[in-house]
Structure formats: structure tokens, C-alpha cells
Amino acid sequence: MRNEFLLYVSGGLHTALHVLLSKAVLLLYRVFAIVALYGVLVGVFAYAVMLGVYAINTSWIAPVILAPTDQRSLDVTERLITTRNSLEDLTLEMNRQKSLLAEMKQHRAALKSLQPELEAAVVRERQHNKVAAKDLLRLNQQKRADIDKTRGLVDDVNGVEAEIQRDLAANLITKGEAAIQRAQLNQTRNAATDSQINEVLLRDSVLQKSTIGTQILDVLDKRAELESQIAQLDISIAIAGQEIATVQAQVERLNKAINLATQTPYFLAVSGEETLHFAFVPYDNRTSVWVGAPVYDCYLHVLLCRQVGTVKRIFESEEKTQNPIFRTDMRGFLIQLDLQNEESAKSKTLFLNHRPLLL
Amino acid sequence: MPVGASCLMLVIAVLVANVLKHVLAGLVKLTVSAARPRKDYSLQPSVSILLPCYNEGKTVYDTVESISRSNYPNHKFEIIAIDDYSTDDSYQWFLKSQEDFTNIRIRVSRNPQNQGKARTVCNALKQSEAEIVLSIDSDCIFHPEAIRELVACFVDPKIGAVGGAVGVRNVNDNIVTAIQTFVYYTNFRLMKVLENWTRSVICISGCMFAVRRDLFLNLEPKVRGRRWLGIEVNDGEDRFLTHQILLAGYGTVLNSSAQCWTTVPNTLPGLFKQQIRWQRSGVRDFLLTLQTLPQHVWTQHPNTIYNLVIPTLAAMSSVVVMLILMFPYSFFLFSVAPGLFLLYGAGAATFDALVRKHNPEQAVTSPLRLAAFAVWIVAGRLIEIIAMLTLDSRDWGTRAKAVALQESAQEESPSQALELDVATAAGD
């Protein structure tokens, strides 16, 4: 009887404990279920609202943190160094070309300065020859006339020699006197021959003065050589000028590229000592961007927003990234932000101009 | 591998496995004769048709009328109709059917108070003396061959319960019913093929559930006393009973030649409630599976164990993972979801073609049917979460009116009230 009572009591106790435990577990389950259910529902609803907001909002931007070790920053830095090296090489080459050009120009100027002197000398010589030729021609004519006269005299001299021979034979004169007279006659003949030689020489001079001779040809050859040198220098100068222009253009392009590269956010991120803040703006939202536009950061993506800075700078180059919410590919550009709150740079999105839900 | 990627791989693996299962089931259905139950039409045991009802109105009359046209010998079956204290005129329609269909025997009674479907079925069982009991839903219309087809499968003494193929009556009411037509078709015509092969159908639909009476009587206390943390459980008695029959060592089978058609909810709140109830019973059954697994893991067919554990576990975990992924990895929604929509849209197109060829009465005409099915399959996973968190609900069934639910929700459980809010919100 006692055992049965104990069994009854223990059984009842066991049942009561079981019921109590079940109720406790049920209570815990219900609390958990209500919290979880409302959590899921609120979460899904909030998620749907958030998706809706991002689907229609055109003022959101996605902050981008560019570390110096960022691959794109490293790429830009590397490219910049390479470009600067190329620029230095090109500058050296350009300077060399310029020196060469200056030297060629100087040489050309020197040659060019010879040209008028040569021309003047030629003209002068030609004029002189012209005048001299006339004089010589006249003298030559006169000389010929003189020679003709001399030739008559020589004929007379021949008659005189015969008379000397007869006088000698007739012993009218001594041999000595005859030799002296004959020597005088030979002198006359020599003088006549000299006159003929001089006439030939004079004619030759006339020919030289009145026609183009080898001397003038030499001068002309030198003039042609001079002109050729000048022409070659002109070509070299022109080529050097073109090369310099090309190098100059390359240098300008490289300078421009360097300037652009140094203005990219990726370079700015690694070059400055201060931490700079950037954000991606999809093209669809570009109408909301201008320098000085206020930037808002929100809790829970779109709620309880506060101004955290302004737009400082707009970069033109195109960027591609993924939509932070929808994870679809997007095209857009970067802007630099002036953030008062550093933590906002870590937010998934920020908003421009106004709060997305005006909250 | 990052957590997000791992979760994503898990979800995709589950979905791919699901697709492969459908494909395998199709192949088995076409090529393996053992996937169809053994039948003997000369077998004509006595049958009690248990017809519980709650707020069905005139529909119960139509149900009884369809049964009265059965070609099973009339003297071999009876209808035991019990109204579970309906607030409408269901009971009067029962009485009218009793008067009108005198060719069959109909016993009509009424519970003194609302007890829920499971207990009403048990009450009806108590009145039965037949060899086979056929528990049906009061909104179904039965094919004249249905009873004959069902009992013919009991020729195999190892078979404890037999189910049929449930179709949709109101296929083209609207897009909501169109979605369910696809769901019903895939569930009854394809999904259970592999389970049928090993005689281990995990859930025989309560629309048409034939079971040996002796076996049911043995299990009836468990069905009647079913509680979860002390709370009476009224839904999912079909799944629970099927599970218990399997654990008792009997086989369960589905004969797709036994057909009936049910009226499915044609509003989103109705569909939402129904699906929550189904998912809830699935979760409870999974918990039961975990409890009983150690003692039954070696006695049950591996396919039974697989079907009891893996699909629900995979569905639950994938849903939780999907929810987890949705927030920190929102790209999932936009990168994977379109693929899922396409995948399930393609599946729906296949089923659509099959339905039009083999079951033209189930053909959906809505041009949005494929997209709606795909959206429902993916977006409807949220229901599984809600079901997991409303296991303390005491919902009766499809016909529980919102007002009645609201009243009982205030008395019963906050989570159930929340479920009602969600259902109402979905309807809005």
C-alpha cells in the first residue's frame, strides 16, 4: 500500500514536472517565435523598403576606400613612374635634337653668309673680265696691226742683211761690224717674234676674259657645293624640327598624362599624407553631384540621416563597380568627399543633397 | 571557402538535388513497373468513409453526391459524416444529403464542440466497423472508381494505407489556383513515385486516405492525443498517421488511378494559411522523425529514412540559409533568383505539357502560370520559416474562417495571431 502510494506520488510528481517543463519550453519557444517572426517580417519588410528606395533613388553614392596598397593605386603609381622615366628620356632626346638643330642652323648661317660674297666676287670678276676683255681685244687688234708693221720691217731687215752680206763680201765692212749689224737685225726679228707671242698670249687673255673658263667653273662648282650644303642643312634642319616637334608633342602628351594621373583618386590616395575620401557615383545619379553638395550618412541604410560632409571634387574618368545593394555591374565616376566623420567612409552608401526618406 | 559562398553552394546543391529527384522520379515512373502498386479488383472489403467537416457549407453535399455515384458496391461502404461544430449550415447539408442519396448509407452526427479535424476523424473511426476506413476531406469530389482503386491495393497484406491522386477542382479560378494545380500535380504524379517504389509514401493526403481499420484503431490514441509541448495538435494528421503506419512496419502506397478533386484556396491568404499548415505538419513530422530515428533507422527502408529526413532538413536549412544570405549577401537575390525562376519556370513548362497531355481537365489556361509557379516556389519559402515559428498553432484547417481564427488566436498563441496578420497582409 505504501509502495503504491509512493509510486502514485512519484508518478504525479513526474507528470507535474513534465507539464511544468513543457510549459517552460513552450513559453521560451513562443517568446523566441514571436521575436523571430517579427524579426523576419520586419527584416523582410525593411529589406523590401530598402530595395525599393535604392531602385528609385538617384542621389546615393558608394564610398570607396582607396588604400596605398590598393592594386589600382599601385598600378597608377607604377605607370606614373614609367611615364616619368619616358618623359625624362624624351626630354633628353629633345634637348639633344635642339642642340643639333642650333648647330646646323649656325653652320647654315655661316654657309649662307659665304654665298653673297661669292656671288659678289663672281660678279665683280665678270665685270672686270668684261672690261679687261674689251681692253685686251682692242690691244690685241692694235698688237696685230703692230705685228703686221713689224713683219714689213722684218722683210726690210732681211733686205738689210743681204746688203750687210754684200758689204762684208765687198769688204766695205768688217766682220765685226757685220756681226754687230746682224745681231741688231736678230734683235729686231726676236722683237717681232716676241710681239707675235705676246699677241697670242693677249688673244688667250681675251679669250679667258670673254668666255667661261675653268677658273670660273671652279668658282661655280664651289658655289654649287655651298648651295648643296645649305640645302642638305635645310633638310636636316627640317627633319630635326619635325623630330623635335614630335618629341615635343610626346612630351606634352606625357605631361598631360602625368598631370591627369596625378589628379586621379588612385594617385591622390597614395601621394598625400592625409586620408582622402572618395565615393562612386553611378551615371544615373550624376545629376545629384556638384562640388559643395552636402553628403548624408544614414543608419539602417536609409533612416536617421545626418550630414557628414560635402562633395569636394569630381573626377571625369569612368569607373566600373558593382551596385552595393543589387550587385549588378554599374558604370559611373568617382568623386572626392570632404568628410567630417571618418566612419562614414565605411558606410555602404551615402546620399547627396537630401535625406533619402527626408528623415 | 567563405561562409556566404558555402551557404550559397548548399542552397544550390539542394535545388539541384530537387531537380534531379524530379527527373529520376520521371524516369522511374516511365520504366519501373514496381513503382505502381499491386492491385486486385476482386478484393471488396467493407469500407467506412470518414467525412469530417467544418464550415464547408454546400460543398459537403457535392462531396457526398460524388461518393454516391461510386461504382463500388453500395452495400459494401458507408459514410460516417461528422460536423465539427460548424458555424455555417454544413450540418444541414449533411442531413439533406442523407435524405437525398438513399442509395448509400450515411451516418450523420455533430460534435458537441469544435474538436479539430484529427479528433473528428477519430470520432468517426469509433463508429466504424468496416475492414477499411477511408478518411476524406469534405471539399473533395471523388471519381466513381476511387474507392475500388484504393481498396484493390490492400491485396498486399503489408500495405497499411493507400492514398490517391488529388487534383484541383477550381483549376482556372485565378492565378492562385493555377499555382496550386502545378503543386498538386507535381506532388501526386511525380514526387511520390520514388516513395511508391519502396512502398514508403511519407505523406498520404488527408483528402483520400484509406487505411486498415484495425491498424488505425491501434494508432488512434496517438492521433487523438497528439500534442506538442502540451498543446493539442489538430493539423497534419495525415502525415502523422502515415508516419506512424510506416513505423508500425506497414507499407504505404499511392495509387494514382484513384482520383479525387479538391477545391483549393483561391485567395492568397487562403493559400498562405494552407501552406503554413502543411509546412507546420512537415516540421512537426521532422521533429518526430528525429525522436524516433534511433529506434527505426535500421528497421525502415533507406528510402523511407531518406524521405523522412533529407527533404525537410534540406528545405529548412536552405530556407534559413537563404534568409541569412539575403541580408549580407543581397546579390544572391539578384544573381541566383533569376536562375531559379528560369529553372522552375522550365519545370513548370514541362509539367504543363504533361498535364495537357495526360490530365487535360487539370490544364491551366492563365498565361502567367509558369512565371507564377516559379515565383511561388522561390518566394513561398518564407512560409517555411513562419511554419517553424508557429508550431504552437491549433488551426483546424482550410475552412477555418479568419474571424474564428482571430478569436482563437487571442486565446491561444501570439504567434498564431501573427500568422493571421501575415495571411491578411498577404491578401491585401
Side-chain angles (χ1 to χ4, degrees):
Chain A
M1 188 69 181
R2 186 168 175 271
N3 288 339
E4 286 174 358
F5 177 72
L6 285 174
L7 276 172
Y8 177 77
V9 169
S10 63
L13 196 62
H14 181 266
T15 305
L17 278 174
H18 184 74
V19 169
L20 201 63
L21 187 65
S22 292
K23 282 186 176 177
V25 172
L26 182 63
L27 180 68
L28 284 174
Y29 169 77
R30 282 176 169 170
V31 170
F32 169 77
I34 287 171
V35 171
L37 262 176
Y38 276 110
V40 167
L41 289 177
V42 169
V44 170
F45 178 74
Y47 189 65
V49 168
M50 188 189 73
L51 293 184
V53 167
Y54 278 98
I56 59 172
N57 184 280
T58 57
S59 67
W60 65 268
I61 57 175
V64 178
I65 294 176
L66 297 176
T69 52
D70 184 277
Q71 187 58 45
R72 285 173 296 186
S73 295
L74 292 174
D75 288 346
V76 166
T77 309
E78 187 184 336
R79 280 202 298 272
L80 199 60
I81 290 169
T82 309
T83 310
R84 278 182 169 154
N85 287 341
S86 302
L87 180 65
E88 284 172 9
D89 292 345
L90 283 172
T91 307
L92 283 174
E93 174 64 16
M94 189 172 68
N95 291 337
R96 193 183 67 80
Q97 293 276 5
K98 279 181 176 174
S99 300
L100 196 64
L101 180 65
E103 192 182 325
M104 283 192 292
K105 281 182 176 175
Q106 201 176 355
H107 188 193
R108 185 187 181 282
L111 290 177
K112 200 75 180 172
S113 65
L114 283 178
Q115 205 171 19
E117 285 180 17
L118 188 65
E119 289 292 335
V122 168
V123 170
R124 213 166 39 240
E125 194 173 335
R126 276 182 176 172
Q127 285 174 347
H128 170 76
N129 284 349
K130 199 174 177 182
V131 173
K134 281 180 184 175
D135 291 343
L136 286 172
L137 189 61
R138 186 173 47 80
L139 288 171
N140 184 251
Q141 287 169 350
Q142 193 178 341
K143 186 80 179 179
R144 279 185 180 179
D146 291 343
I147 288 169
D148 286 343
K149 287 176 184 175
T150 305
R151 203 171 279 146
L153 289 175
V154 169
D155 288 342
D156 292 342
V157 167
N158 286 337
V160 171
E161 191 177 12
E163 286 177 7
I164 293 170
Q165 189 68 31
R166 274 189 311 266
D167 288 345
L168 182 60
N171 292 316
L172 292 177
I173 58 172
T174 65
K175 284 185 179 179
E177 290 171 343
I180 292 168
Q181 286 177 0
R182 278 178 184 156
Q184 286 175 342
L185 286 177
N186 276 337
Q187 282 180 352
T188 304
R189 283 191 191 108
N190 283 336
T193 303
D194 288 343
S195 291
Q196 283 179 348
I197 290 169
N198 287 335
E199 190 273 337
V200 170
L201 291 173
L202 186 61
R203 198 168 60 227
D204 186 55
S205 295
V206 170
L207 185 69
Q208 281 186 359
K209 299 293 181 184
S210 58
T211 58
I212 299 171
T214 53
Q215 194 179 355
I216 191 70
L217 283 176
D218 286 343
V219 172
L220 288 174
D221 181 50
K222 284 181 180 171
R223 189 177 75 173
E225 191 181 335
L226 181 66
E227 285 174 349
S228 171
Q229 282 184 357
I230 290 171
Q232 281 180 6
L233 278 173
D234 282 344
I235 292 170
S236 298
I237 287 167
I239 290 171
Q242 284 175 354
E243 284 179 357
I244 288 170
T246 305
V247 174
Q248 183 78 40
Q250 285 182 335
V251 167
E252 283 173 10
R253 278 200 298 273
L254 289 178
N255 271 324
K256 196 174 177 184
I258 289 169
N259 281 337
L260 283 174
T262 54
Q263 299 307 309
T264 58
Y266 302 107
F267 180 77
L268 293 174
V270 296
S271 61
E273 292 180 0
E274 292 180 5
T275 305
L276 302 180
H277 302 110
F278 302 95
F280 174 83
V281 182
Y283 282 134
D284 289 342
N285 299 357
R286 68 184 140 195
T287 51
S288 303
V289 181
W290 66 85
V291 174
V295 179
Y296 293 90
D297 189 10
C298 305
Y299 294 107
L300 298 173
H301 286 291
V302 293
L303 296 176
L304 303 174
C305 303
R306 65 202 185 285
Q307 186 176 345
V308 293
T310 54
V311 175
K312 188 175 181 183
R313 193 175 188 179
I314 300 171
F315 300 100
E316 291 177 354
S317 56
E318 180 173 280
E319 297 288 333
K320 288 176 186 172
T321 189
Q322 280 199 319
N323 186 308
I325 306 299
F326 301 111
R327 296 290 172 181
T328 51
D329 290 336
M330 284 190 314
R331 294 166 60 197
F333 54 94
L334 289 179
I335 57 175
Q336 187 180 345
L337 303 177
D338 187 7
L339 291 180
Q340 282 92 53
N341 184 4
E342 296 280 327
E343 286 301 305
S344 295
K346 296 172 187 169
S347 295
K348 191 172 266 186
T349 53
L350 299 172
F351 291 88
L352 297 176
N353 303 323
H354 55 77
R355 296 163 173 83
L357 297 177
L358 305 177
L359 295 172
Chain B
M1 190 182 286
V3 176
S6 306
C7 291
L8 194 60
M9 293 296 290
L10 175 66
V11 172
I12 291 171
V14 168
L15 294 170
V16 170
N18 199 16
V19 172
L20 289 177
K21 186 180 176 184
H22 278 77
V23 173
L24 182 62
L27 290 174
V28 168
K29 185 173 185 174
L30 290 173
T31 58
V32 180
S33 59
R36 292 183 285 275
R38 186 156 67 93
K39 292 186 278 192
D40 180 359
Y41 293 109
S42 65
L43 191 70
Q44 290 187 338
S46 57
V47 177
S48 288
I49 299 172
L50 314 183
L51 178 53
C53 155
Y54 180 69
N55 287 351
E56 284 293 349
K58 183 180 178 297
T59 309
V60 294
Y61 184 85
D62 299 333
T63 302
V64 174
E65 184 186 22
S66 72
I67 294 170
S68 73
R69 287 199 293 267
S70 169
N71 57 16
Y72 198 70
N74 288 354
H75 67 280
K76 289 281 190 179
F77 74 91
E78 63 174 348
I79 295 176
I80 302 173
I82 301 182
D83 174 50
D84 191 23
Y85 204 67
S86 294
T87 55
D88 65 357
D89 56 354
S90 299
Y91 184 62
Q92 280 68 38
W93 283 109
F94 267 153
L95 293 175
K96 180 169 172 50
S97 63
Q98 191 179 35
E99 288 173 12
D100 291 351
F101 307 118
T102 53
N103 62 321
I104 55 174
R105 195 150 62 96
I106 305 173
R107 283 195 262 176
V108 177
S109 59
R110 193 171 196 232
N111 286 339
Q113 60 186 20
N114 188 275
Q115 296 181 10
K117 184 188 173 189
R119 286 165 188 78
T120 305
V121 170
C122 290
N123 292 343
L125 175 68
K126 292 289 185 186
Q127 296 181 37
S128 168
E129 294 176 350
E131 296 169 68
I132 302 294
V133 292
L134 170 58
S135 175
I136 64 173
D137 275 357
S138 51
D139 60 347
C140 290
I141 298 297
F142 291 84
H143 191 281
E145 291 285 338
I147 301 173
R148 204 166 72 95
E149 285 286 346
L150 288 171
V151 297
C153 298
F154 285 102
V155 65
D156 183 349
K158 292 178 182 172
I159 293 298
V162 182
V166 183
V168 175
R169 281 176 72 187
N170 49 340
V171 172
N172 290 306
D173 268 10
N174 53 35
I175 197 69
V176 175
T177 59
I179 292 170
Q180 292 171 88
T181 305
F182 278 121
V183 173
Y184 273 72
Y185 194 84
T186 54
N187 276 347
F188 287 100
R189 304 281 176 176
L190 205 57
M191 286 295 287
K192 294 184 188 295
V193 170
L194 295 176
E195 299 170 23
N196 229 23
W197 191 11
T198 54
R199 304 295 185 260
S200 58
V201 176
I202 297 305
C203 176
I204 292 176
S205 169
C207 289
M208 189 162 51
F209 193 119
V211 57
R212 294 178 192 277
R213 187 178 69 94
D214 293 343
L215 178 60
F216 195 177
L217 279 172
N218 285 339
L219 299 173
E220 185 264 346
K222 289 186 177 177
V223 176
R224 187 183 286 277
R226 197 155 57 106
R227 288 176 177 273
W228 185 79
L229 291 178
I231 298 174
E232 289 180 358
V233 177
N234 289 323
D235 55 23
E237 81 291 337
D238 47 2
R239 182 182 284 269
F240 178 78
L241 186 55
T242 314
H243 194 162
Q244 291 300 329
I245 289 168
L246 286 170
L247 295 183
Y250 286 89
T252 55
V253 73
L254 187 141
N255 179 3
S256 57
S257 299
Q259 296 182 75
C260 75
W261 295 268
T262 184
T263 304
V264 296
N266 57 5
T267 61
L268 271 179
L271 174 62
F272 194 79
K273 267 171 47 54
Q274 181 204 55
Q275 292 297 314
I276 284 184
R277 206 174 62 249
W278 288 6
Q279 297 292 345
R280 196 184 288 139
S281 72
V283 175
R284 286 204 193 97
D285 194 65
F286 179 68
L287 297 176
L288 175 67
T289 299
L290 295 184
Q291 281 179 340
T292 58
L293 198 60
Q295 60 193 105
H296 293 292
V297 68
W298 303 117
T299 60
Q300 296 296 311
H301 192 284
N303 191 38
T304 310
I305 301 297
Y306 170 84
N307 285 313
L308 281 170
V309 176
I310 300 301
T312 311
L313 180 65
M316 287 167 64
S317 56
S318 65
V319 164
V320 173
V321 165
M322 277 172 74
L323 258 177
I324 293 169
L325 283 177
M326 188 178 286
F327 295 97
Y329 301 93
S330 52
F331 68 91
F332 172 80
L333 198 64
F334 304 99
S335 55
V336 178
L340 294 182
F341 288 144
L342 284 178
L343 187 68
Y344 283 106
T350 307
F351 298 139
D352 191 46
L354 290 172
V355 168
R356 285 173 190 282
K357 186 175 179 183
H358 299 292
N359 301 81
E361 86 284 354
Q362 296 286 287
V364 180
T365 57
S366 171
L368 298 173
R369 59 190 183 277
L370 302 183
F373 176 73
V375 169
W376 168 255
I377 290 294
V378 177
R381 299 307 91 197
L382 184 64
I383 291 174
E384 290 177 15
I385 290 281
I386 297 174
M388 280 188 264
L389 297 170
T390 55
L391 294 174
D392 56 336
S393 170
R394 278 187 283 189
D395 186 6
W396 196 92
T398 313
R399 307 301 156 197
K401 303 296 183 203
V403 174
L405 264 178
Q406 212 157 17
E407 289 169 359
S408 60
Q410 288 167 358
E411 297 167 5
E412 291 173 354
S413 78
S415 58
Q416 189 178 349
L418 179 62
E419 173 197 334
L420 185 69
D421 291 344
V422 172
T424 310
D428 294 340

